[in-house]
């Protein structure tokens, strides 16, 4: 459906009365636009899947999102908590917290439906919250009071930063990977880390004598987060 056709349909709907008929017409237009934008994804031979963790069975279930039937179950670690898929949907990553003492993130090939070698997060122990942004895996580390980043391309942990707060729990990373939001359970706060341009002669830790570079720094901490 091209832009001109959409404009003409919308103009016609504006002149429809009464309001109840207009609402029905708008619903039909919305359905047509969604279908056109997704090229009829519901009829695709490869529907999107859901990922569900079982702490009791220590498995990751891959579920058909249309039929809601389990396609496969893949074994994960002893204390799975959170799961995230890569942007292209081919890989999944599962954190194992272990009361803040574990140090593994499970890697699952969603295409082959099998487990791959784990990521060793030490010294960032107790991985819990997890996100995927800018081609990298970001996670909170409860035991280390920190957040970390893993690069699937190099197979290495390439960055970390402490929050200094007990039980750094869940994590959210913006799409451009410029800001990180992470919750701190024990004190009910949110730490915000921002990737900013540092002044000349300063490193991320504030040490003089180094060239200017981009780096994360604590932007603020929001105390007493209210439940909604």
């Amino acid at each position: 459906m091209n832009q001109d056709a959409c404009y003409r349909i919308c103009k016609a709907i504006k002149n429809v009365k009464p309001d109840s008929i207009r609402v029905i017409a708008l619903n039909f237009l919305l359905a047509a636009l969604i279908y056109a934008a997704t090229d009829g994804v519901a009829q695709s031979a490869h529907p999107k899947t859901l990922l569900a963790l079982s702490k009791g069975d220590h498995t990751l279930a891959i579920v058909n999102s249309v039929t809601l039937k389990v396609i496969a179950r893949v074994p994960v670690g002893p204390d799975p908590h959170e799961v995230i898929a890569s942007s292209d949907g081919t890989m999944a990553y599962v954190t194992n917290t272990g009361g803040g003492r574990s140090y593994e993130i499970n890697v699952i090939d969603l295409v082959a439906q099998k487990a791959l070698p784990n990521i060793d997060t030490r010294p960032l122990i107790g991985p819990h919250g997890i996100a995927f942004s800018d081609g990298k895996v970001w996670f909170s580390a409860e035991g280390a009071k920190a957040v970390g980043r893993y690069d699937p391309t190099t197979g290495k942990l390439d960055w970390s930063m402490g929050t200094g707060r007990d039980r750094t729990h869940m994590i959210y990373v913006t799409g451009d990977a410029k800001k990180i939001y992470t919750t701190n359970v024990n004190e009910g706060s949110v730490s915000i880390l921002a990737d900013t341009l540092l002044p000349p002669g300063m490193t991320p830790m504030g040490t003089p004598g180094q060239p200017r570079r981009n780096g994360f720094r604590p932007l603020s901490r929001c105390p007493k987060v209210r439940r909604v």
Side-chain angles (χ1 to χ4, degrees), residues 70-145:
V70 176
I71 301 169
R73 285 186 173 90
V74 181
V76 293
D79 190 33
H81 272 254
E82 306 294 331
V83 59
I84 193 70
S86 59
S87 299
D88 59 8
T90 61
M91 306 291 288
Y93 301 88
V94 176
T95 55
N96 286 264
T97 307
R101 297 179 298 275
S102 179
Y103 46 83
E104 71 177 46
I105 294 177
N106 307 131
V107 184
I108 293 92
D109 184 331
L110 296 176
V111 178
Q113 300 173 0
K114 67 177 183 179
L116 300 178
N118 295 332
I119 300 169
D120 187 328
T121 67
R122 286 177 293 186
L124 302 178
I125 60 174
H128 185 276
I130 194 164
F132 194 93
S133 180
D134 196 30
K136 298 187 179 184
V137 180
W138 308 70
F139 61 95
S140 60
E142 287 192 357
K145 302 181 182 180

Side-chain angles (χ1 to χ4, degrees), residues 5 10 13 16-18 50 57 82 85 89 99 110 115 136 142 145-146 148 155 195 200 213 216:
C10 289
I13 289 174
V16 173
K17 295 181 181 180
L50 305 175
D57 295 336
E82 306 294 331
L110 296 176
K136 298 187 179 184
E142 287 192 357
K145 302 181 182 180
D195 187 3
R213 55 170 289 186
F216 278 92

Side-chain angles (χ1 to χ4, degrees), residues 2 9 19 26 50 70 77 90 93 104 129 140 162 165 171 198:
N2 59 39
I9 293 173
D19 289 342
L26 282 170
L50 305 175
V70 176
T90 61
Y93 301 88
E104 71 177 46
S140 60
R165 305 295 162 181
I171 188 172
L198 302 177

Side-chain angles (χ1 to χ4, degrees), residues 171-185:
I171 188 172
Y172 172 78
V173 182
T174 56
D176 59 3
K178 294 297 184 183
K179 281 188 179 180
I180 304 168
Y181 300 83
T182 183
T183 56
N184 307 298
V185 173

